[in-house]
Amino acid sequence: MTHPFEAAIDLRPGADHRLLGRTVPEYANMVGPFGGATAAALLHAIEQHPDRSGDPVALTVNFAAPVADGQFTIDTTLVRANRSNQHWTATMSQDDGVVSTATAVFGLRRDAWSGTEAVMPVVPEPGAVERSNGPEGVAFLQNYDLRFVEGRPPGDGIPRASSATTLWVRHAPGRVLDFSALAALSDIFYPRVYLRRGKPVPAGTISMTTYFHVDAAEVAELGDDFVLATAQGQQFARGYFDQTAQLWSRGGALLVTSNQTVYYKDSFGR
Amino acid sequence: MTHPFEAAIDLRPGADHRLLGRTVPEYANMVGPFGGATAAALLHAIEQHPDRSGDPVALTVNFAAPVADGQFTIDTTLVRANRSNQHWTATMSQDDGVVSTATAVFGLRRDAWSGTEAVMPVVPEPGAVERSNGPEGVAFLQNYDLRFVEGRPPGDGIPRASSATTLWVRHAPGRVLDFSALAALSDIFYPRVYLRRGKPVPAGTISMTTYFHVDAAEVAELGDDFVLATAQGQQFARGYFDQTAQLWSRGGALLVTSNQTVYYKDSFGR
């Protein structure tokens, strides 16, 4: 039986070198599929292109229109390559046009001085944190094991001073991590504005950029383990806020840094 | 007389609705033009498109190949629009092909709860900080008034524990700020790896994403004043590091948050 995440990013060759995919109910969000699954499918399309060389370094996905349930088409273009890097563009389309655009950089890592400057949050082990089932009506969250350390989704109407959320997360049912899975996990956070308003308000990611800091061998070593995901907003400005996020391995490796800009309304129905 | 930054982003209509620009010596970097000027020209091309609506919300520029001194062509495409947002793609090309790709989101800000969660660094006023002329051989830096508060470019070979740099910066000769100027200032920082290695090493930005948190009226209020620019790396991993940056107004408004991924080598000639 195919894992639901596998099904969500499964792509088959179509006419004119396009790739065909299909949304799956297990990765549905409140409207359309989980944006992280869209990002993962776009990255996966580039990964399986015969001209692809190296591992993902950067991925930007712009969510241009809601993705309808059903079939989608992905086109990929290798714009430029040099000895170290490849620059790709991609689009996801449905019957009524382009629904997402993406750019990606793939590259080859090499021996060079390395160091982590960000500091991993000090948190209890995942086994010591209670699992949250996630809100009903958000199908894709039922396919992750979520263990909130701070900043669980608020519903009491009390504004928080901080929009920070930190959680342990892994696929449920289990699945080994790969770059597509990390791209999706970059978008695992509910909108930061919820915490600042103390309750859900209309919000949706417009653009997400993810930087990968590990190569394929390092990702493979993660297996199907938990990663620590942490996110916070920096600026909420009249309808758009940003979010900066990190994904850490249990062993303390900074796997991914990711940023996104999110459209929101406040609670007054405007 | 045209301001050099104006000349660097000046675009004239060409055949097939393309826009033609030209690099200027005042915005030259060590190889080719300042990446910030490339980002600014791409944004400016979208800004002056007759179908453009709203202000920039997000801009991602991928630096696919070195830009040669001389003429370049920019193509812009409005991929999708809804009531609030426009999704654009753009490319910069020269004789040998595409040198940069970009995606951008433009949008309309509206009345909504707003708040700044990031904290502005506590720094002396620009008048109390010594102006730095910038290193010789980097022409574009001579066109900015740079006043380093922390993390000035190192040359002593002593590795720093922190890659943080904070500086006041404005155009010199003076020029009012606009979105193109802010896009360029997002890239004003020399490579963070210099601080961690204590000296310059080969490095170049591959992809930069900038989120704008102000509208045109708010930018106009800034005039030609200094902005406070601060940046730090999070992860340096075998040839690629990321940088997270903020631009603040003197009055304490968070104007821009920006991230980039940068290619680097260490000092051993590999």
Side-chain angles (χ1 to χ4, degrees), chain B residues 8-11 19-23 41 67-68 70-74 92-94 99:
Chain B
I9 65 168
D10 184 45
L11 302 169
L19 292 169
L20 305 178
R22 177 172 283 281
T23 65
V67 179
Q71 187 172 289
F72 55 80
T73 303
I74 296 180
M92 179 182 287
S93 303
Q94 292 187 313
V99 293

Side-chain angles (χ1 to χ4, degrees), chain A residues 57-58 60 62-66 79-85 87-89 96-99 101-118 161-164 193 196-197 206-209 211-215 218 232-246 253-255 257 259-261 263-266 270, chain B residues 57-58 60 62-66 79-85 87-89 96-99 101-118 161-164 193 196-197 206-209 211-215 218 232-246 253-255 257 259-261 263-266 270:
Chain A
V57 172
T60 293
N62 284 13
F63 301 94
V79 175
R80 192 100 186 197
N82 59 37
R83 278 187 308 168
S84 303
N85 301 315
H87 287 267
W88 291 85
T89 60
D96 65 341
V98 172
V99 292
T101 65
T103 64
V105 179
F106 279 62
L108 296 169
R109 293 184 189 270
R110 70 199 69 78
D111 196 21
W113 171 85
S114 299
T116 303
E117 192 159 325
S162 167
S163 68
V193 70
R196 298 303 307 272
R197 303 299 286 155
I206 299 173
S207 180
M208 177 170 75
T209 292
Y211 300 144
F212 300 93
H213 301 298
V214 279
D215 66 17
E218 292 166 311
Q232 187 162 13
Q234 298 186 90
Q235 176 72 309
F236 303 76
R238 298 198 291 125
Y240 301 95
F241 73 86
D242 69 343
Q243 170 186 286
T244 182
Q246 302 167 340
L254 182 50
L255 309 171
T257 50
N259 289 270
Q260 57 178 258
T261 186
Y263 167 96
Y264 71 96
K265 295 184 178 183
D266 61 21
R270 282 190 289 248
Chain B
V57 172
T60 293
N62 284 12
F63 301 95
V79 174
R80 192 99 187 197
N82 59 36
R83 280 186 308 167
S84 304
N85 301 316
H87 287 266
W88 292 84
T89 59
D96 64 343
V98 172
V99 293
T101 65
T103 64
V105 179
F106 279 62
L108 296 169
R109 291 182 191 272
R110 69 199 67 79
D111 198 19
W113 171 85
S114 299
T116 303
E117 193 160 325
S162 167
S163 68
V193 69
R196 300 302 307 271
R197 302 301 285 158
I206 298 173
S207 180
M208 175 169 76
T209 292
Y211 300 144
F212 301 92
H213 301 299
V214 281
D215 67 16
E218 293 166 310
Q232 187 162 13
Q234 298 186 91
Q235 177 73 312
F236 303 76
R238 298 199 291 127
Y240 302 95
F241 73 86
D242 69 343
Q243 171 186 286
T244 182
Q246 302 167 339
L254 182 50
L255 309 170
T257 49
N259 289 271
Q260 57 178 258
T261 186
Y263 168 96
Y264 71 95
K265 295 184 179 184
D266 62 20
R270 282 192 289 248

Side-chain angles (χ1 to χ4, degrees), chain A residues 161-186:
Chain A
S162 167
S163 68
T165 284
T166 302
L167 70 155
W168 289 106
V169 56
R170 67 174 169 187
H171 287 269
R175 179 186 180 274
V176 295
L177 291 163
D178 53 22
F179 289 111
S180 292
L182 292 174
L185 285 171
S186 300

Side-chain angles (χ1 to χ4, degrees), chain B residues 188-212:
Chain B
I188 194 65
F189 310 94
Y190 67 89
R192 306 292 83 213
V193 69
Y194 289 13
L195 281 166
R196 300 302 307 271
R197 302 301 285 158
K199 63 190 176 189
V201 296
T205 301
I206 298 173
S207 180
M208 175 169 76
T209 292
T210 297
Y211 300 144
F212 301 92

Side-chain angles (χ1 to χ4, degrees), chain A:
Chain A
M1 180 164 161
T2 307
H3 189 282
F5 186 77
E6 217 69 57
I9 65 169
D10 184 46
L11 301 169
R12 281 133 205 260
D16 301 327
H17 306 291
R18 311 177 91 182
L19 292 169
L20 304 179
R22 178 172 282 281
T23 65
V24 298
E26 292 89 344
Y27 275 82
N29 201 342
M30 283 176 286
V31 178
F34 170 40
T38 300
L42 284 158
L43 185 67
H44 193 51
I46 299 168
E47 281 184 311
Q48 65 189 74
H49 194 290
D51 295 337
R52 187 264 300 178
S53 170
D55 291 322
V57 172
L59 172 71
T60 293
V61 177
N62 284 13
F63 301 94
V67 178
D69 292 334
Q71 188 170 289
F72 56 80
T73 303
I74 297 181
D75 293 284
T76 56
T77 302
L78 176 55
V79 175
R80 192 100 186 197
N82 59 37
R83 278 187 308 168
S84 303
N85 301 315
Q86 291 186 327
H87 287 267
W88 291 85
T89 60
T91 58
M92 179 183 287
S93 304
Q94 291 185 314
D95 288 344
D96 65 341
V98 172
V99 292
S100 287
T101 65
T103 64
V105 179
F106 279 62
L108 296 169
R109 293 184 189 270
R110 70 199 69 78
D111 196 21
W113 171 85
S114 299
T116 303
E117 192 159 325
V119 178
M120 187 179 184
V122 177
V123 296
E125 289 291 308
V129 182
E130 190 187 2
R131 180 172 175 181
S132 165
N133 285 323
E136 288 183 34
V138 183
F140 81 90
L141 288 177
Q142 316 310 321
N143 288 280
Y144 288 107
D145 180 341
L146 308 167
R147 298 175 184 231
F148 286 92
V149 176
E150 64 166 337
R152 62 179 57 238
D156 53 13
I158 301 171
R160 272 65 167 178
S162 167
S163 68
T165 284
T166 302
L167 70 155
W168 289 106
V169 56
R170 67 174 169 187
H171 287 269
R175 179 186 180 274
V176 295
L177 291 163
D178 53 22
F179 289 111
S180 292
L182 292 174
L185 285 171
S186 300
D187 195 32
I188 194 65
F189 310 94
Y190 67 90
R192 306 293 84 214
V193 70
Y194 289 13
L195 280 166
R196 298 303 307 272
R197 303 299 286 155
K199 63 190 176 190
V201 296
T205 302
I206 299 173
S207 180
M208 177 170 75
T209 292
T210 298
Y211 300 144
F212 300 93
H213 301 298
V214 279
D215 66 17
E218 292 166 311
V219 174
E221 284 171 17
L222 301 171
D224 63 355
D225 199 6
F226 283 96
V227 301
L228 186 72
T230 185
Q232 187 162 13
Q234 298 186 90
Q235 176 72 309
F236 303 76
R238 298 198 291 125
Y240 301 95
F241 73 86
D242 69 343
Q243 170 186 286
T244 182
Q246 302 167 340
L247 301 180
W248 296 84
S249 76
R250 198 199 287 237
L254 182 50
L255 309 171
V256 158
T257 50
S258 183
N259 289 270
Q260 57 178 258
T261 186
V262 183
Y263 167 96
Y264 71 96
K265 295 184 178 183
D266 61 21
S267 57
F268 306 112
R270 282 190 289 248

